[in-house]
Amino acid sequence: MPRCSKRTRSGAAELLPGATSLDDHTHKRSRNSRRHARADDTTFSAKKCLAWFKEYTTLSEPEVLGPEGMEKFCQDLGVDPENVVMLVIAYKMGAKQMGYFTQEEWIKGLTELQCDNVQKLQNKLEHLRGLLNDPHIFKAIYRYSYDFARDKDQRSLDTATARALLGVLLPRWALRPALGEFLARGRRYRVVNRDQWCNILEFSRTVDAQLVAYDADGAWPVMLDEFVEWLRTEREQRPRTS
């Protein structure tokens, strides 16, 4: 699930950003790509892995895969930039900024996955998606996404980004649309802090859609208490159908 920095955001997708074209030297390297190597080759080559990384970088920033390269990487992988598996890949790499992979992060993550070409990583996608079924790993990825997605000059996550991330991480949570509406409509909450973010996950796991399991005396952040109050008021005011 990986937005770019302010200097490139205008032309980027919201989560995994990138422009629509690469510079000439990247195209030339792409023509000479080794990513069509046999996918059933089980040996891992750090040299090939590095050469693959260089297909997505530019002459001006050879050690950073930026928004343009990220767009091409997603295309080659056949994965939408906003697919949750991209967030899992970023987590495996330990990437620190959305829309960017450093050479060090790339080598770290893909060495662990033993992938030195696109076919090998494609073959790992189902495994990576499957990691989300482990509650402990999912919790780690969820918490990781907070620092990964926030602007590095801000201590908290802006609510627009938080809503987008929740759509990627908790798409089936029944109360997610209501929480998104609460955050979008309210003027009080322009950002979500780390404690609030972590508690949203616990809230989604313990409180049912009808709020029966909600404990007003529980240690929830004030934001979630106010969300429950708002949602109950909204439901009471909603016209009843016969």
Side-chain angles (χ1 to χ4, degrees):
M1 175 109 223
R3 195 188 59 231
C4 63
S5 65
K6 292 180 179 178
R7 59 193 171 94
T8 58
R9 186 175 301 163
S10 60
E14 184 174 5
L15 289 180
L16 259 177
T20 57
S21 62
L22 297 173
D23 57 18
D24 291 339
H25 89 281
T26 305
H27 280 301
K28 290 177 182 178
R29 283 193 299 210
S30 294
R31 296 192 196 102
N32 298 322
S33 168
R34 296 183 180 180
R35 62 177 177 269
H36 297 298
R38 290 175 57 191
D40 58 353
D41 182 3
T42 58
T43 61
F44 174 80
S45 166
K47 184 177 180 180
K48 289 181 180 179
C49 188
L50 179 58
W52 182 26
F53 174 78
K54 295 298 183 181
E55 294 175 17
Y56 304 114
T57 63
T58 63
L59 288 174
S60 59
E61 293 184 290
E63 295 187 355
V64 178
L65 188 163
E68 293 182 347
M70 192 69 74
E71 180 79 8
K72 185 65 167 63
F73 174 56
C74 290
Q75 290 175 358
D76 289 348
L77 201 55
V79 173
D80 189 279
E82 296 182 18
N83 191 299
V84 69
V85 78
M86 293 305 300
L87 184 58
V88 182
I89 292 173
Y91 169 77
K92 281 291 185 180
M93 291 186 183
K96 294 180 175 60
Q97 185 174 4
M98 186 176 286
Y100 295 85
F101 293 148
T102 66
Q103 180 175 303
E104 181 180 358
E105 292 165 350
W106 177 277
I107 295 298
K108 170 191 175 294
L110 294 181
T111 298
E112 179 183 341
L113 292 170
Q114 292 289 283
C115 295
D116 55 20
N117 63 56
V118 71
Q119 284 86 2
K120 288 181 180 179
L121 187 53
Q122 285 174 330
N123 290 342
K124 292 276 189 177
L125 293 180
E126 286 308 309
H127 163 72
L128 293 170
R129 291 188 181 97
L131 295 178
L132 297 168
N133 295 324
D134 183 312
H136 299 290
I137 296 178
F138 181 85
K139 184 176 183 178
I141 293 173
Y142 179 91
R143 292 191 170 193
Y144 158 80
S145 70
Y146 182 86
D147 285 322
F148 179 62
R150 68 179 174 84
D151 287 335
K152 296 307 175 274
D153 58 348
Q154 300 292 329
R155 296 182 62 183
S156 299
L157 191 66
D158 68 86
T159 54
T161 302
R163 296 199 313 272
L165 268 181
L166 289 173
V168 170
L169 287 161
L170 300 173
R172 297 183 181 86
W173 180 34
L175 293 178
R176 179 187 58 80
L179 178 61
E181 183 181 354
F182 170 76
L183 293 174
R185 290 174 57 176
R187 294 184 178 181
R188 178 172 179 180
Y189 296 103
R190 299 182 183 276
V191 297
V192 174
N193 65 36
R194 188 184 305 276
D195 181 63
Q196 291 165 342
W197 178 254
C198 293
N199 272 278
I200 287 172
L201 177 60
E202 298 309 311
F203 189 90
S204 73
R205 289 176 168 180
T206 58
V207 178
D208 58 289
Q210 301 306 317
L211 305 175
V212 174
Y214 168 74
D215 180 3
D217 295 324
W220 298 113
V222 173
M223 183 190 77
L224 289 175
D225 289 330
E226 292 182 352
F227 164 63
V228 170
E229 183 180 354
W230 171 84
L231 182 57
R232 283 174 168 166
T233 300
E234 287 287 308
R235 288 175 173 176
E236 289 173 0
Q237 294 176 350
R238 187 179 304 163
R240 297 185 179 183
T241 57
S242 56

Short mmCIF file of all heavy atoms in Angstrom, two decimals, residues 125-155:
data_model
loop_
_atom_site.label_atom_id
_atom_site.label_comp_id
_atom_site.label_asym_id
_atom_site.label_seq_id
_atom_site.Cartn_x
_atom_site.Cartn_y
_atom_site.Cartn_z
N LEU A 125 3.67 -13.47 -4.31
CA LEU A 125 2.59 -12.56 -3.94
C LEU A 125 1.53 -13.22 -3.06
O LEU A 125 1.05 -12.63 -2.10
CB LEU A 125 1.95 -11.96 -5.19
CG LEU A 125 2.82 -11.01 -6.01
CD1 LEU A 125 2.06 -10.48 -7.22
CD2 LEU A 125 3.32 -9.85 -5.14
N GLU A 126 1.15 -14.45 -3.39
CA GLU A 126 0.14 -15.13 -2.58
C GLU A 126 0.67 -15.40 -1.17
O GLU A 126 -0.07 -15.29 -0.19
CB GLU A 126 -0.31 -16.43 -3.25
CG GLU A 126 -1.21 -16.21 -4.45
CD GLU A 126 -2.40 -15.31 -4.13
OE1 GLU A 126 -3.10 -15.60 -3.12
OE2 GLU A 126 -2.63 -14.34 -4.85
N HIS A 127 1.93 -15.75 -1.08
CA HIS A 127 2.55 -15.93 0.24
C HIS A 127 2.51 -14.63 1.04
O HIS A 127 2.17 -14.64 2.23
CB HIS A 127 3.99 -16.39 0.07
CG HIS A 127 4.83 -16.23 1.31
ND1 HIS A 127 4.68 -17.02 2.43
CD2 HIS A 127 5.83 -15.32 1.61
CE1 HIS A 127 5.54 -16.63 3.37
NE2 HIS A 127 6.24 -15.61 2.90
N LEU A 128 2.83 -13.51 0.38
CA LEU A 128 2.84 -12.22 1.06
C LEU A 128 1.44 -11.82 1.50
O LEU A 128 1.25 -11.30 2.61
CB LEU A 128 3.45 -11.16 0.15
CG LEU A 128 4.94 -11.33 -0.15
CD1 LEU A 128 5.39 -10.37 -1.24
CD2 LEU A 128 5.77 -11.14 1.11
N ARG A 129 0.45 -12.06 0.65
CA ARG A 129 -0.94 -11.78 1.04
C ARG A 129 -1.35 -12.66 2.21
O ARG A 129 -2.09 -12.23 3.11
CB ARG A 129 -1.89 -11.99 -0.14
CG ARG A 129 -1.75 -10.98 -1.27
CD ARG A 129 -2.84 -11.15 -2.30
NE ARG A 129 -2.70 -10.21 -3.40
CZ ARG A 129 -2.13 -10.49 -4.57
NH1 ARG A 129 -1.64 -11.72 -4.78
NH2 ARG A 129 -2.03 -9.58 -5.51
N GLY A 130 -0.88 -13.90 2.20
CA GLY A 130 -1.23 -14.82 3.26
C GLY A 130 -0.72 -14.40 4.63
O GLY A 130 -1.30 -14.77 5.66
N LEU A 131 0.36 -13.61 4.65
CA LEU A 131 0.89 -13.14 5.92
C LEU A 131 -0.13 -12.30 6.68
O LEU A 131 -0.11 -12.24 7.91
CB LEU A 131 2.16 -12.31 5.69
CG LEU A 131 3.37 -13.05 5.11
CD1 LEU A 131 4.52 -12.08 4.88
CD2 LEU A 131 3.80 -14.19 6.03
N LEU A 132 -1.02 -11.66 5.94
CA LEU A 132 -2.03 -10.81 6.56
C LEU A 132 -3.05 -11.61 7.37
O LEU A 132 -3.78 -11.04 8.18
CB LEU A 132 -2.75 -9.98 5.49
CG LEU A 132 -1.86 -9.00 4.72
CD1 LEU A 132 -2.60 -8.47 3.50
CD2 LEU A 132 -1.41 -7.85 5.62
N ASN A 133 -3.08 -12.92 7.15
CA ASN A 133 -4.01 -13.76 7.90
C ASN A 133 -3.49 -14.09 9.29
O ASN A 133 -4.25 -14.59 10.14
CB ASN A 133 -4.27 -15.07 7.14
CG ASN A 133 -4.97 -14.82 5.81
OD1 ASN A 133 -5.82 -13.94 5.71
ND2 ASN A 133 -4.61 -15.59 4.79
N ASP A 134 -2.21 -13.82 9.53
CA ASP A 134 -1.65 -14.01 10.86
C ASP A 134 -1.91 -12.74 11.67
O ASP A 134 -1.39 -11.68 11.33
CB ASP A 134 -0.14 -14.27 10.75
CG ASP A 134 0.51 -14.56 12.09
OD1 ASP A 134 0.26 -13.81 13.06
OD2 ASP A 134 1.28 -15.53 12.18
N PRO A 135 -2.69 -12.82 12.74
CA PRO A 135 -3.05 -11.61 13.51
C PRO A 135 -1.85 -10.83 14.00
O PRO A 135 -1.88 -9.59 14.03
CB PRO A 135 -3.88 -12.16 14.67
CG PRO A 135 -4.39 -13.48 14.19
CD PRO A 135 -3.32 -14.03 13.31
N HIS A 136 -0.79 -11.51 14.40
CA HIS A 136 0.38 -10.82 14.93
C HIS A 136 1.15 -10.09 13.84
O HIS A 136 1.59 -8.95 14.02
CB HIS A 136 1.29 -11.82 15.65
CG HIS A 136 0.64 -12.51 16.81
ND1 HIS A 136 0.33 -11.85 17.98
CD2 HIS A 136 0.22 -13.80 16.97
CE1 HIS A 136 -0.24 -12.69 18.82
NE2 HIS A 136 -0.32 -13.88 18.24
N ILE A 137 1.30 -10.75 12.68
CA ILE A 137 1.99 -10.09 11.56
C ILE A 137 1.14 -8.94 11.04
O ILE A 137 1.67 -7.86 10.73
CB ILE A 137 2.28 -11.11 10.44
CG1 ILE A 137 3.26 -12.18 10.94
CG2 ILE A 137 2.86 -10.40 9.21
CD1 ILE A 137 3.57 -13.26 9.92
N PHE A 138 -0.18 -9.16 10.95
CA PHE A 138 -1.05 -8.08 10.48
C PHE A 138 -0.94 -6.87 11.40
O PHE A 138 -0.87 -5.73 10.93
CB PHE A 138 -2.51 -8.55 10.42
CG PHE A 138 -3.45 -7.49 9.92
CD1 PHE A 138 -3.65 -7.30 8.57
CD2 PHE A 138 -4.10 -6.64 10.81
CE1 PHE A 138 -4.50 -6.30 8.10
CE2 PHE A 138 -4.95 -5.63 10.36
CZ PHE A 138 -5.14 -5.47 9.00
N LYS A 139 -0.92 -7.11 12.69
CA LYS A 139 -0.81 -6.00 13.65
C LYS A 139 0.51 -5.25 13.44
O LYS A 139 0.54 -4.01 13.49
CB LYS A 139 -0.90 -6.54 15.08
CG LYS A 139 -0.88 -5.45 16.15
CD LYS A 139 -1.09 -6.06 17.53
CE LYS A 139 -1.15 -4.99 18.61
NZ LYS A 139 -1.40 -5.58 19.95
N ALA A 140 1.58 -5.98 13.19
CA ALA A 140 2.88 -5.35 12.96
C ALA A 140 2.86 -4.51 11.69
O ALA A 140 3.38 -3.39 11.65
CB ALA A 140 3.98 -6.41 12.87
N ILE A 141 2.23 -5.03 10.62
CA ILE A 141 2.14 -4.29 9.36
C ILE A 141 1.24 -3.07 9.54
O ILE A 141 1.54 -1.98 9.03
CB ILE A 141 1.61 -5.20 8.24
CG1 ILE A 141 2.65 -6.29 7.93
CG2 ILE A 141 1.28 -4.40 6.98
CD1 ILE A 141 2.16 -7.35 6.96
N TYR A 142 0.15 -3.24 10.25
CA TYR A 142 -0.77 -2.12 10.52
C TYR A 142 -0.03 -1.00 11.25
O TYR A 142 -0.14 0.18 10.88
CB TYR A 142 -1.95 -2.63 11.35
CG TYR A 142 -2.95 -1.56 11.71
CD1 TYR A 142 -4.06 -1.30 10.90
CD2 TYR A 142 -2.80 -0.80 12.88
CE1 TYR A 142 -4.99 -0.32 11.25
CE2 TYR A 142 -3.72 0.18 13.22
CZ TYR A 142 -4.81 0.41 12.40
OH TYR A 142 -5.71 1.40 12.73
N ARG A 143 0.72 -1.34 12.27
CA ARG A 143 1.44 -0.32 13.03
C ARG A 143 2.56 0.30 12.19
O ARG A 143 2.82 1.51 12.27
CB ARG A 143 2.00 -0.92 14.31
CG ARG A 143 0.90 -1.30 15.30
CD ARG A 143 1.47 -1.64 16.68
NE ARG A 143 0.39 -1.76 17.66
CZ ARG A 143 0.59 -1.80 18.97
NH1 ARG A 143 1.82 -1.73 19.45
NH2 ARG A 143 -0.43 -1.90 19.79
N TYR A 144 3.22 -0.53 11.40
CA TYR A 144 4.27 -0.04 10.51
C TYR A 144 3.73 1.00 9.54
O TYR A 144 4.39 2.00 9.23
CB TYR A 144 4.88 -1.22 9.74
CG TYR A 144 5.57 -0.85 8.47
CD1 TYR A 144 6.87 -0.33 8.46
CD2 TYR A 144 4.93 -1.00 7.23
CE1 TYR A 144 7.51 0.01 7.28
CE2 TYR A 144 5.56 -0.67 6.05
CZ TYR A 144 6.85 -0.16 6.08
OH TYR A 144 7.46 0.19 4.90
N SER A 145 2.52 0.79 9.07
CA SER A 145 1.95 1.67 8.04
C SER A 145 1.81 3.11 8.52
O SER A 145 1.80 4.04 7.71
CB SER A 145 0.58 1.14 7.57
OG SER A 145 -0.41 1.29 8.59
N TYR A 146 1.71 3.31 9.82
CA TYR A 146 1.54 4.66 10.38
C TYR A 146 2.75 5.53 10.05
O TYR A 146 2.61 6.62 9.48
CB TYR A 146 1.33 4.58 11.89
CG TYR A 146 1.10 5.92 12.54
CD1 TYR A 146 -0.18 6.47 12.62
CD2 TYR A 146 2.15 6.65 13.10
CE1 TYR A 146 -0.40 7.70 13.21
CE2 TYR A 146 1.94 7.87 13.70
CZ TYR A 146 0.66 8.40 13.76
OH TYR A 146 0.46 9.62 14.34
N ASP A 147 3.93 5.06 10.39
CA ASP A 147 5.14 5.84 10.11
C ASP A 147 5.46 5.85 8.63
O ASP A 147 5.97 6.84 8.10
CB ASP A 147 6.33 5.26 10.88
CG ASP A 147 6.29 5.62 12.35
OD1 ASP A 147 5.88 6.75 12.68
OD2 ASP A 147 6.64 4.77 13.19
N PHE A 148 5.16 4.77 7.95
CA PHE A 148 5.43 4.67 6.52
C PHE A 148 4.64 5.70 5.73
O PHE A 148 5.15 6.32 4.80
CB PHE A 148 5.07 3.26 6.05
CG PHE A 148 5.27 3.01 4.59
CD1 PHE A 148 6.52 3.12 4.01
CD2 PHE A 148 4.19 2.64 3.79
CE1 PHE A 148 6.69 2.88 2.65
CE2 PHE A 148 4.36 2.40 2.44
CZ PHE A 148 5.61 2.51 1.87
N ALA A 149 3.39 5.93 6.11
CA ALA A 149 2.50 6.77 5.32
C ALA A 149 2.49 8.23 5.71
O ALA A 149 2.12 9.09 4.91
CB ALA A 149 1.07 6.22 5.39
N ARG A 150 2.88 8.55 6.94
CA ARG A 150 2.78 9.95 7.37
C ARG A 150 3.86 10.81 6.73
O ARG A 150 4.95 10.33 6.41
CB ARG A 150 2.86 10.05 8.89
CG ARG A 150 4.21 9.71 9.48
CD ARG A 150 4.20 9.86 10.99
NE ARG A 150 5.46 9.39 11.58
CZ ARG A 150 6.55 10.13 11.66
NH1 ARG A 150 6.55 11.38 11.20
NH2 ARG A 150 7.66 9.64 12.19
N ASP A 151 3.54 12.09 6.54
CA ASP A 151 4.54 13.04 6.08
C ASP A 151 5.65 13.12 7.11
O ASP A 151 5.38 13.23 8.31
CB ASP A 151 3.92 14.43 5.88
CG ASP A 151 3.04 14.51 4.66
OD1 ASP A 151 3.26 13.70 3.73
OD2 ASP A 151 2.13 15.35 4.63
N LYS A 152 6.88 13.08 6.65
CA LYS A 152 7.99 13.01 7.60
C LYS A 152 8.21 14.32 8.36
O LYS A 152 8.91 14.35 9.36
CB LYS A 152 9.28 12.59 6.87
CG LYS A 152 9.18 11.19 6.28
CD LYS A 152 8.75 10.17 7.34
CE LYS A 152 8.52 8.79 6.78
NZ LYS A 152 7.19 8.59 6.24
N ASP A 153 7.59 15.40 7.89
CA ASP A 153 7.69 16.65 8.64
C ASP A 153 6.51 16.83 9.60
O ASP A 153 6.35 17.86 10.23
CB ASP A 153 7.76 17.85 7.70
CG ASP A 153 6.56 17.94 6.76
OD1 ASP A 153 5.80 16.95 6.68
OD2 ASP A 153 6.40 18.98 6.10
N GLN A 154 5.68 15.78 9.72
CA GLN A 154 4.55 15.80 10.64
C GLN A 154 4.66 14.64 11.62
O GLN A 154 5.11 13.56 11.26
CB GLN A 154 3.22 15.69 9.87
CG GLN A 154 2.98 16.80 8.86
CD GLN A 154 2.74 18.14 9.53
OE1 GLN A 154 2.20 18.19 10.63
NE2 GLN A 154 3.15 19.21 8.87
N ARG A 155 4.25 14.86 12.85
CA ARG A 155 4.32 13.81 13.85
C ARG A 155 3.13 12.85 13.79
O ARG A 155 3.19 11.74 14.29
CB ARG A 155 4.40 14.42 15.25
CG ARG A 155 5.65 15.25 15.50
CD ARG A 155 5.70 15.78 16.92
NE ARG A 155 5.74 14.72 17.90
CZ ARG A 155 5.74 14.91 19.22
NH1 ARG A 155 5.67 16.15 19.69
NH2 ARG A 155 5.78 13.89 20.05
#
